[in-house]
Amino acid sequence: MTTHFKAFSLPVLLALLALLPSTLAADADVPLNDDGTPKRNILGFIPSIPLAVITAGVYLVIALCLVARWFPYRLGMMWWLIGGCIAYAGGMALRVKIHDDPYTLGLYIASTLLVLLSPVFFILVDYMLFSRLVAAMEMERHLFIRARWVSKIFVISDCVTFFLQISGGGMGASESMAQLGTNISLVGIIAQLASFVIFIVLVLHFGWKIQRHEPAIWNSNGAGNTEWKRLYYALLWTCIGYLIRSVFRSIELSQGHDGYLHTHENWLYGLDSLPLAAAMVVFIPIYPGQYIGDRAIKNMGKGGSLPIAYSENIAFVDRRRGERY
């Protein structure tokens, strides 16, 4: 129970950290024109209540489905995904309030940071999931680096880009620091995109190596070795959604705070909310806990030998090496 609590507590802590700048800026003065009227609202548009409510509802439903799937299999890493869904839903829900009060800096900062940063949690799950999959199959020889270092390297990268984005996002609400904040967020997004592209290349290269050098595992039919491919393809599907979102955010931030993409709400839903939701939905039917962890029920292949239960396989790997993935 302690392990699962720790897995859940960190994304919650990071989400609360994202709200800190909004607390500090809550009492900031609204920028005024010379005639005393408020300047253009911070978002650059009045957010749509129906779109915000529908999006928040979709992400909450995904989170609830993932929670329901967690109980039979108890895979701690999935709380990162659940926490990210809740954070994204919260950011969208705040847009309903922004619709009625579009000049409050605190609301803008809180909503922007929650929506901007929650995908960090989603990507983090892919990093951990891939390293666990490779380790369980004992196919590390087909990676550039050891499986346990895959998660460590990319998780550290994710954390660095997280704090770059959270710093830039907080500054973006201040008119005097908006450009600097946008530039810092852009650096964070581009660094995250570059790291994620390298990760995708690593995942694709691993699949290519298995297909070429382990034909018995790649082409085997029936329960056993083919089980790993379901999780592998689900992982690749999520990568497509996250990649679309990262490219969109990079272009959006490069245009600046007053750019076309930033000031037109429909692009956010089409190239951010939708791809992320489509990516996460795949983990409901193909739940990772079915394949990895102590309660896994699927069978996996181990190094070309006879198929064995995945839960036994991962336990064997952990006991022999004393490592965690």
Side-chain angles (χ1 to χ4, degrees):
M1 186 64 158
T2 302
T3 302
H4 301 314
F5 175 75
K6 288 180 179 178
F8 177 66
S9 62
L10 189 52
V12 171
L13 178 61
L14 292 178
L16 291 175
L17 181 61
L19 289 172
L20 180 59
S22 67
T23 302
L24 298 177
D27 296 327
D29 292 333
V30 176
L32 302 177
N33 295 310
D34 294 336
D35 60 0
T37 59
K39 290 188 176 180
R40 180 180 60 84
N41 69 81
I42 305 170
L43 276 176
F45 56 86
I46 301 299
S48 166
I49 291 181
L51 285 176
V53 170
I54 291 172
T55 304
V58 168
Y59 276 81
L60 283 178
V61 169
I62 294 175
L64 290 174
C65 290
L66 290 173
V67 169
R69 296 287 277 163
W70 177 85
F71 280 102
Y73 305 107
R74 303 299 176 94
L75 187 62
M77 74 169 69
M78 297 305 291
W79 283 110
W80 288 90
L81 202 62
I82 295 168
C85 286
I86 295 173
Y88 199 100
M92 284 297 167
L94 286 175
R95 287 186 164 230
V96 175
K97 181 65 176 176
I98 293 175
H99 179 275
D100 299 325
D101 188 8
Y103 301 103
T104 300
L105 295 178
L107 289 174
Y108 166 80
I109 295 174
S111 176
T112 299
L113 290 181
L114 288 173
V115 172
L116 181 66
L117 300 176
S118 52
V120 174
F121 302 151
F122 309 155
I123 294 174
L124 192 61
V125 172
D126 276 8
Y127 293 156
M128 294 187 290
L129 184 58
F130 180 63
S131 64
R132 290 280 297 272
L133 175 63
V134 173
M137 295 175 65
E138 296 194 3
M139 286 290 169
E140 292 177 272
R141 60 185 176 273
H142 295 309
L143 287 179
F144 303 132
I145 55 178
R146 295 192 65 184
R148 68 190 183 96
W149 282 104
V150 170
S151 59
K152 289 182 179 179
I153 290 173
F154 287 104
V155 166
I156 290 173
S157 171
D158 222 30
C159 290
V160 172
T161 59
F162 172 87
F163 284 106
L164 284 173
Q165 292 174 60
I166 199 172
S167 299
M171 294 179 185
S174 172
E175 186 177 19
S176 61
M177 304 182 71
Q179 188 57 51
L180 176 60
T182 298
N183 292 339
I184 292 176
S185 294
L186 178 60
V187 170
I189 285 287
I190 291 178
Q192 184 185 66
L193 175 60
S195 175
F196 194 57
V197 168
I198 294 172
F199 173 74
I200 293 174
V201 171
L202 184 67
V203 174
L204 290 173
H205 181 264
F206 173 77
W208 176 77
K209 294 282 281 187
I210 295 295
Q211 185 179 26
R212 182 174 181 180
H213 299 289
E214 309 287 348
I217 291 179
W218 182 266
N219 298 316
S220 59
N221 189 24
N225 290 336
T226 54
E227 295 289 353
W228 73 273
K229 291 170 73 173
R230 294 187 179 92
L231 192 57
Y232 177 76
Y233 286 137
L235 181 68
L236 286 177
W237 173 257
T238 65
C239 288
I240 294 173
Y242 301 158
L243 186 62
I244 292 172
R245 179 263 176 188
S246 295
V247 171
F248 160 70
R249 284 296 188 177
S250 298
I251 298 174
E252 178 201 33
L253 290 171
S254 69
Q255 293 180 349
H257 192 72
D258 296 321
Y260 178 83
L261 291 179
H262 183 81
T263 55
H264 290 75
E265 182 178 28
N266 55 309
W267 292 103
L268 170 71
Y269 292 105
L271 295 177
D272 189 287
S273 304
L274 181 59
L276 291 176
M280 289 180 293
V281 162
V282 74
F283 283 140
I284 297 175
I286 307 177
Y287 190 75
Q290 293 179 298
Y291 302 83
I292 61 177
D294 295 335
R295 300 193 180 192
I297 60 174
K298 301 294 185 180
N299 291 326
M300 297 283 291
K302 187 185 81 170
S305 62
L306 293 176
I308 63 174
Y310 187 92
S311 57
E312 296 172 359
N313 187 16
I314 192 64
F316 169 75
V317 172
D318 286 350
R319 286 196 300 270
R320 190 185 68 177
R321 299 178 181 172
E323 296 172 348
R324 292 179 60 84
Y325 299 95

